[in-house]
Amino acid sequence: MQWLYLAIADIFEITVAIAAGKAEGFKNRPWTVVTLLSGAIGTYFLSKALLTFDVGVGYAIWTSIAGIGITLLGVLLFNQRLDWRKALGILVIIAGVVGLQLSGAA
Amino acid sequence: MPNSGRSSANPWLVLLLAGGFEVGYALSVGGSHGFTRLTWSLVAVVFFLLTLWALSVALRSIEVSIGYAVWAGIGSAGAALLGPVFFDEGLSAFQALWLGVIIVGVVWLKLADRPQQAPSADPQNTPQVAVAPHEPQDARR
C-alpha cells in the first residue's frame, strides 16, 4: 500500500513542478492555486506512505521518482531531448531504489 | 554573485535556506503520522510554503537546473541523515549506500536537465518543467 501512496504523491508532485513553473513566481493566480492544491494533496499521500517507509528512505524515493517523471514529461510534452546524461541519471535512480528495496529498507 | 539592480539577499544563501526548509518539510510530514498529529501537521504546512517560496526566489538568479539539483540534494541527504535523529529509525550501511546512489542520481538528473538543449522556435516562451520558469533577465556569467 505504501508504494501506491507514494505513486499518487508523485503524480501530484510532478503536477506541482509543472504548475509552479506556470505560476510565474505566484503572479498567475490559477496556476498558483493548482500548485498549492497539488502540493497539499501530494503531501498528504506522502505522509501516508511515510507511515510505513522511514522518512529518509520514503522521501528519497518520492523525490527521485518525481524527478524522473518531470524529466520524462519534459521529453514527451515540452520537446526536450532525452540525452545520455538524463538516461544515465534515470538509471542510477532506479538502481538506487531497487537496491534499497532489495536491502530490505523499502 | 553579481546581481545588478536586484534585492541584496544572496541567492545562494536563499537556496541553502530552501534546502533546509525542504529537510524540515520531509521530517515534519513524516512526524505528522498521516496528518493525525496537529503540531507536526501545521509545521509541515509552514515548511511547505517556506521551501516553495525560498526556492522560487533563489531560482530567479540561479540557473534552474543547478538550483534544483542543490535543493533536491540537500533535501534528500538531510532527510536521510536527520530521520534517525528525530524518529525511531535506523540507517544501516547498506541503506545509506543506496540512499547515496539515489541522491547522486537525483542531483545528476537535475544538472542534466538543461533547458538550452530544447529546440524551440521562441526561446523566450519555451515552456519549462521547473519551479521557476523565467530565465533571469539580468546578466549572468
Side-chain angles (χ1 to χ4, degrees), chain A residues 13-14 16-18 20-27 35-36 38-40 42-44 46-48 50-51 53-57 59-68 70-71 73-74 78-81 83-90 92-93 95-100 103 105, chain B residues 22-23 25-27 29-36 44 48-49 52-53 56 60 68 71-72 75-77 79-81 83 87-92 94-96 98-99 101-106 108-110 112-115 117-120 126-134:
Chain A
E13 177 64 6
I14 293 164
V16 167
I18 295 172
K22 292 180 181 294
E24 294 164 25
F26 309 115
K27 287 195 284 281
T35 303
L36 295 178
S38 306
T43 299
Y44 174 73
L46 175 64
S47 76
K48 299 281 276 184
L50 292 184
L51 289 173
F53 287 115
D54 280 0
V55 171
V57 171
Y59 177 82
I61 296 174
W62 172 71
T63 197
S64 61
I65 299 290
I68 291 177
I70 290 163
T71 298
L73 268 188
F78 300 110
N79 226 12
Q80 292 173 0
R81 274 178 44 208
D83 56 16
W84 69 269
R85 286 186 185 82
K86 292 178 192 172
L88 179 63
I90 290 171
V92 168
I93 290 171
V97 172
V98 171
L100 258 188
S103 70
Chain B
E22 184 67 5
V23 176
Y25 166 77
L27 294 176
V29 169
S32 77
H33 277 247
F35 282 90
T36 57
F48 169 71
L49 294 174
L52 209 58
W53 170 77
S56 73
R60 279 178 207 159
Y68 220 156
W71 173 76
S76 345
L81 291 174
F87 308 110
D88 189 20
E89 299 177 352
L91 186 66
S92 74
F94 267 119
Q95 259 178 282
W98 290 118
L99 277 173
V101 170
I102 292 178
I103 293 167
V104 167
V106 168
W108 174 275
L109 186 61
K110 295 297 180 193
D113 222 343
R114 299 265 179 127
Q117 287 163 351
S120 170
T126 305
Q128 285 177 27
V129 188
V131 167
H134 42 279

Side-chain angles (χ1 to χ4, degrees), chain A residues 1-26:
Chain A
M1 203 61 180
Q2 69 269 30
W3 287 98
L4 179 65
Y5 289 140
L6 216 53
I8 297 171
D10 265 317
I11 290 170
F12 283 101
E13 177 64 6
I14 293 164
T15 309
V16 167
I18 295 172
K22 292 180 181 294
E24 294 164 25
F26 309 115

